[in-house]
Amino acid sequence: MSTDSINDHPSNGEVQQLTLVEAITDGLSTEMNRDESIIVLGEDVGVNGGVFRATDGLYEEFGGDRVVDTPLAESGIVGSAIGLALSGLKPIPEMQFMGFMYPAFDQLVSHAARIRSRSQGQYSCQMVVRAPYGGGIRAPEHHSESKEAFFVHEPGLKVVAPSTPADAKGLLTASIRDPDPVIFLEPKLIYRAFRQDVPTGAYKVPLGSASVRRTGSDVSVYTWGAMTQPALIAADHLSDEKGIETEVIDLRTLSPLDVETIVESFKKTGRAAIVHEAPKTAGLGAEISTIIQEEALVYQEAPIQRITGFDAPMPLHALEGYYLPQAVRIQEGILDAVEF
Amino acid sequence: MSTQDETDPSIAEIQPDSNIESEFDQVFRILDDDGHLLPGVDPGLSGDKRLAMYEDIKLARHFDQRAISLQRQGRIATYAPMTGQEGSQVATSYALDEQDWLFPTYREHAAKYVHGVDLPSLLTALLGYREGYAVPEGVNVMPEYIPIATQVPHAMGMAWGYTLQGKDDRAVLCHLGDGATSEGDFHEGLNFAGVFDVPSVFVCNNNQWAISVPRERQTASETIAQKAQSYGIEGIRVDGLDPLAVYVVTREAIRKAKNPVDGERRPTLIESVQYRYGAHTTSDDPSVYRDEADADKWRKRDPLKRLENHLYQTGLLDSEREAEIQARIEEQVATAIETAEAVEAAPEQIFEHVYQETPDRLQAQMDELNELRKKYGEGAFSGVLE
Ligand SMILES: Cc1ncc(C[n+]2csc(CCOP(=O)(O)OP(=O)(O)O)c2C)c(N)n1
């Protein structure tokens, strides 16, 4: 698996080999040590350390007043987090799965996103809503959602989706320190898929900056989260088999988008494919494609391809492998852009 | 609560001397811990029915063990065990009339089975095929609800809908967990049920835990049943490890839902006090958050054992019959596994039933996938990170 090209992190020189989920725990712990106003809350985040162990050890380290097991109520968790933020704390609510965020949707879009504008800048809502998202882990119904577009569509929210352990920690740190509400989506398919050197101590990966995971001059692929891996696999394969060099851009922040990096890459290649797990219709791919056309139409050599989940609910696990974009589907999509 | 005419409800009077005892304070029960009928009570079920109920509970337990083992072998995915809770599940479904509806969560495998869902269907869903959610014609069971508490307003609404249409012969029974009582949907559903006085019965399976969060961290209410009061409906606590008591209480709630006498309100919230012996699901490790010695205390009141003792004591069961039952259920579950495992993956299923008529766009997406399957073979679709 390609996990290289992670050299954009300032570091104190020390690193440790962590999985993505361990990097998140490390990021939480590092920031909580630095800033006493941070509190983590959610279902099973305390004694149990989170159902994915993302908050493992934090309860022991910081106690039950800062790592809080709440009743099972997403609207209550996010709604109370808004109040906590208004009181001057920095809450980090965990949604157990993205598919269970909908009860909190009202609080997020009606309030978290608008407190700044509604109060004319007088109040803000500094919080990071963490949620594991995406498919591929043979989970039951509603456990494999990737509906990032819902949140990207809402002005006032920032949306982040890391694809590597080092990014996960750096982006989480930046999100925690960001004065606006951030939806931090964790690609659970790659929570434990690989380890990587992650700098110890605090560092930020700035929000709103994409990362070029692989350079290439023939075609640009835009993706994020767990789909970065199959996109890199497809790119390597096309390079080996056909000599096609694909530039793979990991967007990392979905709102705000790094328009400059998106457009610059396209100006170089003139061809693009966008890969996401979410259904195609009105997915984020549509937005990215339009940005490219608005900003770089004259560079365009071929129709922009979207390789995405289907416009159907994620199937139960026996068929989810057919639903998620696979390396072969990505390859075909890239070829469609190249061979046009 | 007034129960069936011939029944004299017995409220156990146990002095609380531990958490577990206090959970059993003021619960309705019929069988004592050893399975003796408490004096002056009527289980409200014929001997044959009690024996049949026993067989279903035994089957449920065996199914549970087999499902856990299939999960460990990687043959099915995440499974939510029900051991310790089967007595209550089976008994609540025994209380239903055929035309009544059942709204289950992801844990009510036995409740669904008793109300008409076949065993292979239960397993087909666990094997990862949505076909398993299909409910046979005439069986009034909704597919499992995974998002917590979302079924509560639906059940209320269906009950409301039937009364609006003058179909007074049916009630709706909705299962939920203790954790579910924290969600807004629970409160909204029960509030509506009270306001519109609909024929609905809400069964809260208080198994003491919502994953790692214990009941007392879920609500500061002393009991869950008492929440009913704030919605103007009836609430009752029943010993959920006493299948006969659960039957009597649920049957009475169903009766009242359909035929309230003067001054009676239709909806009931039943708090079925029980314990989740095992893990929340096969992906969970309860040793991280709870003392396993507690489970042993609850096991002393095991529903299967208690009913079994009762049946032996009353001469309805002997060892020969028990062996016969055991053989029968093992055979049934084995056959169900075989049947379910013969179901084949049909990727087209992803695109089916999204709309009644598949839109062109979706059809095109399916055609595209099928082209790629032909070109690359099914192996290319097994995992994403390869
Ligand atoms: C809306 C929602 N939030 C979170 C979850 C994740 N989750 C699944 S089961 C569960 C605990 C449920 O506890 P309870 O209602 O007591 O039922 P039990 O599983 O104990 O039967 C949680 C938090 C979910 N399924 N739905």
Side-chain angles (χ1 to χ4, degrees), chain A residues 43 74 96 100, chain B residues 106-107 146 148 177-180 207 209-210 280:
Chain A
E43 293 152 16
E74 290 76 10
Q96 204 156 71
F100 304 133
Chain B
Y106 44 78
R107 204 184 295 285
I146 289 179
I148 300 296
D178 40 304
N207 65 11
W209 294 92
H280 165 72

Side-chain angles (χ1 to χ4, degrees), chain A residues 1 43-45 47-49 51 53 64 68-75 96 99-100 103 136 138-143 189-190 193 226-227 229-230 233 280-282 306 308-329 331-332 335, chain B residues 74-78 124-131 133 144-148 150 179-184 210-213 217-219 283-285 288-289 345-351 354-355 361-362 365-366 368-369 372-373 375-376 378-386:
Chain A
M1 202 169 295
E43 293 152 16
D44 305 288
V45 299
V47 181
N48 199 32
V51 294
R53 299 273 166 271
V68 187
D69 276 326
T70 65
L72 204 180
E74 290 76 10
S75 179
Q96 204 156 71
F100 304 133
R138 290 169 58 82
E141 199 190 358
H142 306 287
H143 288 71
L189 175 64
I190 53 168
M227 290 299 103
Q229 290 305 326
I233 295 168
K280 187 176 211 167
T281 298
R306 284 181 285 166
T308 67
F310 303 116
D311 292 337
M314 172 70 103
L316 295 187
H317 65 89
L319 298 176
E320 71 179 334
Y322 290 94
Y323 183 93
L324 295 168
Q326 299 290 332
V328 295
R329 256 175 82 201
Q331 245 167 262
E332 290 283 332
L335 280 176
Chain B
R75 284 155 75 187
I76 64 172
T78 313
T124 305
L126 291 167
L127 283 158
Y129 303 110
R130 211 179 272 141
E131 274 115 318
Y133 282 170
E144 68 181 359
Y145 276 75
I146 289 179
I148 300 296
T150 45
T181 67
S182 296
E183 291 275 10
I211 310 188
S212 70
V213 179
R217 296 278 299 178
Q218 206 60 245
T219 172
S283 343
D284 170 55
D285 173 12
V288 176
Y289 53 79
E348 286 84 357
Q349 195 205 322
I350 294 172
F351 305 89
V354 183
Y355 303 95
R361 233 175 121 78
L362 194 53
Q365 292 179 5
M366 176 170 119
E368 209 181 300
L369 175 65
L372 289 176
R373 286 169 62 205
K375 185 163 170 190
Y376 291 99
E378 309 297 334
F381 300 90
S382 55
V384 180
L385 301 180
E386 321 165 345

